[in-house]
Amino acid sequence: MYQYQVSFSDAVRRALTVNYCNFEGRASRSEYWWFCLFSFIVGCVFSILGLIAGQGSAMFTIVQVVNWIVSLALLLPSLGVLVRRLHDTGRSAWNILWFLLPVIGTIILIIYLVQDSTPSANQYGPVPNVTE
């Protein structure tokens, strides 16, 4: 079975431009996890900058404000790629609500997100391909 895979840069570019606020269609497993890695790296960079700036300084406050702005800017693409990944496994976006159950809900959602893609077209669209 062929698995559509994207590179790190393609996943980030697609999530931040083509699919910025797109909650329809499907996203491959690699597209989802590469974007998660990007978001994690961005968070780590701001944490390190905050540590370097030192709590209570003016620079620390600036780093916090920029971190909030970037986090808000990444919220919609993160939700979009999450919804499209759930669609790729044949599940509804309502499965995001598993996050409301502490620990067990997160585990269930992670299990859904690591599963293989539906190998053929499903109710959410055709299998993602390189030409998208």
Side-chain angles (χ1 to χ4, degrees):
M1 171 174 54
Y2 173 73
Q3 290 289 326
Y4 168 62
Q5 295 185 3
V6 297
S7 66
F8 177 81
S9 59
D10 286 341
V12 172
R13 180 189 52 76
R14 288 170 53 92
L16 295 178
T17 58
V18 177
N19 292 315
Y20 184 82
C21 207
N22 183 11
F23 298 93
E24 296 178 356
R26 297 167 60 169
S28 67
R29 185 169 31 188
S30 62
E31 185 177 355
Y32 175 76
W33 289 108
W34 280 130
F35 189 74
C36 285
L37 177 63
F38 169 75
S39 297
F40 177 76
I41 290 170
V42 168
C44 287
V45 167
F46 279 108
S47 294
I48 291 168
L49 289 174
L51 288 172
I52 291 170
Q55 192 170 6
S57 68
M59 184 57 81
F60 182 77
T61 305
I62 293 170
V63 169
Q64 281 187 318
V65 169
V66 173
N67 184 23
W68 272 97
I69 292 168
V70 170
S71 296
L72 286 174
L74 290 177
L75 179 63
L76 289 176
S78 296
L79 287 174
V81 76
L82 173 61
V83 167
R84 288 184 286 110
R85 176 67 193 133
L86 287 170
H87 287 174
D88 194 45
T89 62
R91 292 184 174 80
S92 165
W94 287 105
N95 281 285
I96 291 175
L97 297 178
W98 281 111
F99 269 134
L100 297 176
L101 291 175
V103 182
I104 191 74
T106 302
I107 292 169
I108 290 170
L109 193 55
I110 289 173
I111 290 170
Y112 288 169
L113 295 172
V114 299
Q115 290 180 338
D116 285 338
S117 302
T118 305
S120 59
N122 63 21
Q123 64 187 359
Y124 302 106
V127 177
N129 59 38
V130 180
T131 60
E132 289 185 353

